[in-house]
Amino acid sequence: MDLLLADVHHRDLNAPINAFQDCGFARLGPVLSPEFAAALAHRANELMLDNTLCPGLFYQHDSPTGRYEDVKFGAGWVGPSKRYRKLERLERDPLFRSMIENSLFRRIAQRMLGEEVYLYRAVLWNKAPKVGMAVPWHQDDGKFWGLSQPPFLQVWTGLDDAPLEAGCLEVVPNSHLGGLASAEGGTLAQARLDQAKAEHHACALPSKRGESVLVHNHTWHRTGRNSTDAPRRAVSISFLGKDVRCKRRRRAPRSFMRLFEDSI
Ligand SMILES: O=C(O)CCC(=O)C(=O)O
């Protein structure tokens, strides 16, 4: 099976990389072959229904109310369900690992981060039909991430069509230029959103299955509820350069997995 669309191998990356640096996001357009995107979506379902298939995955279920505030953090696997909102450590699954290390992402990551590229996280974001919850405006950095240097390169890829009604990615263009809104990072305070008129500047990025978007970690982004009859699954991958360290003290500091090693 071809992982990527044939034209991806020759695509010029200058325009998306410049747009990413200027605006904090850039559409890469269609990237995954339809067969590979479908296989990943199928695998996502298998992993949600059986936690013995890939030991070490991190599971987080959607909240019963569909509200972010009601998510049971720390509950992990709660039995077979297609309503997990998030699965982390996808790199442990061989099929997802092949997606993470595809040749386009390698070209982009090595161009922006250097030859040595590491993985901070690879996450499945799942919104079940009719009920999948929203993810509020946030930035992906701060105390919880605990990194010695600000991370900046993330790639979001849809495994399903993601129209606005299904909870497509939305961004506030140029918001990365202000850095972290608070040392904590993560979810943005309402006062800060109001001050910046986030609703007014919000830019929705509806996409088709297999499309990718570059998203700067400091870009304000969110996704809405899924009100459609179809699932909306997506993968986001956060890459790091070689000099980034984990600063966490309470638990042993993490070491990050090196990617694309066969390109040495
Ligand atoms: O796709 C989603 O629902 C959320 C993606 C996201 O917020 C992220 O990758 O940080």
Side-chain angles (χ1 to χ4, degrees):
M1 173 171 44
D2 289 330
L3 306 195
L4 305 181
L5 294 169
D7 78 296
V8 163
H9 303 289
H10 318 288
R11 254 193 236 163
D12 177 33
L13 297 176
N14 290 328
I17 288 178
N18 289 340
F20 168 77
Q21 280 160 346
D22 288 349
C23 310
F25 72 98
R27 283 179 177 279
L28 294 175
V31 166
L32 304 184
S33 71
E35 305 77 46
F36 188 46
L40 290 166
H42 178 73
R43 184 68 178 159
N45 279 359
E46 287 182 338
L47 295 173
M48 287 191 277
L49 295 176
D50 185 347
N51 70 333
T52 66
L53 293 178
C54 182
L57 280 190
F58 167 91
Y59 289 83
Q60 189 177 87
H61 204 263
D62 214 328
S63 72
T65 58
R67 283 158 43 94
Y68 182 74
E69 301 74 37
D70 298 330
V71 170
K72 271 200 194 143
F73 294 100
W77 170 259
V78 294
S81 166
K82 288 194 193 163
R83 282 197 61 200
Y84 284 95
R85 67 179 286 265
K86 182 158 110 160
L87 268 61
E88 290 195 28
R89 306 195 193 123
L90 291 180
E91 66 278 12
R92 291 171 181 247
D93 180 72
L95 195 70
F96 278 102
R97 179 77 186 265
S98 66
M99 184 249 191
I100 295 164
E101 296 198 283
N102 79 64
S103 63
L104 179 70
F105 294 175
R106 174 161 87 190
R107 266 208 296 153
I108 294 171
Q110 289 187 329
R111 181 154 150 189
M112 299 182 79
L113 296 166
E115 181 73 20
E116 278 185 45
V117 175
Y118 293 82
L119 179 69
Y120 181 79
R121 69 174 192 182
V123 186
L124 172 78
W125 296 95
N126 173 54
K127 294 180 193 287
K130 294 288 187 201
V131 288
M133 64 185 267
V135 178
W137 287 117
H138 66 280
Q139 297 175 298
D140 289 317
D141 187 15
K143 274 205 179 129
F144 180 73
W145 282 57
L147 294 173
S148 61
Q149 294 175 30
F152 63 88
L153 180 60
Q154 305 198 99
V155 187
W156 182 98
T157 304
L159 304 185
D160 297 294
D161 290 354
L164 185 60
E165 319 78 73
C168 69
L169 192 60
E170 295 176 66
V171 296
V172 176
N174 307 322
S175 50
H176 67 305
L177 298 174
L180 272 182
S182 73
E184 293 301 318
T187 306
L188 287 141
Q190 192 56 48
R192 186 73 188 86
L193 293 167
D194 293 343
Q195 185 193 30
K197 298 191 173 60
E199 275 326 308
H200 176 74
H201 295 294
C203 171
L205 303 172
S207 55
K208 294 284 185 195
R209 169 177 269 187
E211 281 189 40
S212 297
V213 184
L214 301 179
V215 186
H216 193 293
N217 289 57
H218 289 179
T219 295
W220 300 9
H221 58 291
R222 73 174 174 190
T223 58
R225 287 198 74 158
N226 183 4
S227 60
T228 73
D229 292 327
R232 198 244 56 176
R233 290 155 292 190
V235 172
S236 76
I237 305 166
S238 303
F239 297 102
L240 300 174
K242 82 173 184 354
D243 297 324
V244 185
R245 300 280 169 266
C246 175
K247 291 197 309 182
R248 283 188 202 158
R249 292 266 156 80
R250 272 205 295 173
R251 277 176 277 152
R254 275 183 65 187
S255 57
F256 303 109
M257 172 189 279
R258 178 139 182 217
L259 299 172
F260 313 123
E261 290 217 70
D262 62 350
S263 62
I264 297 170

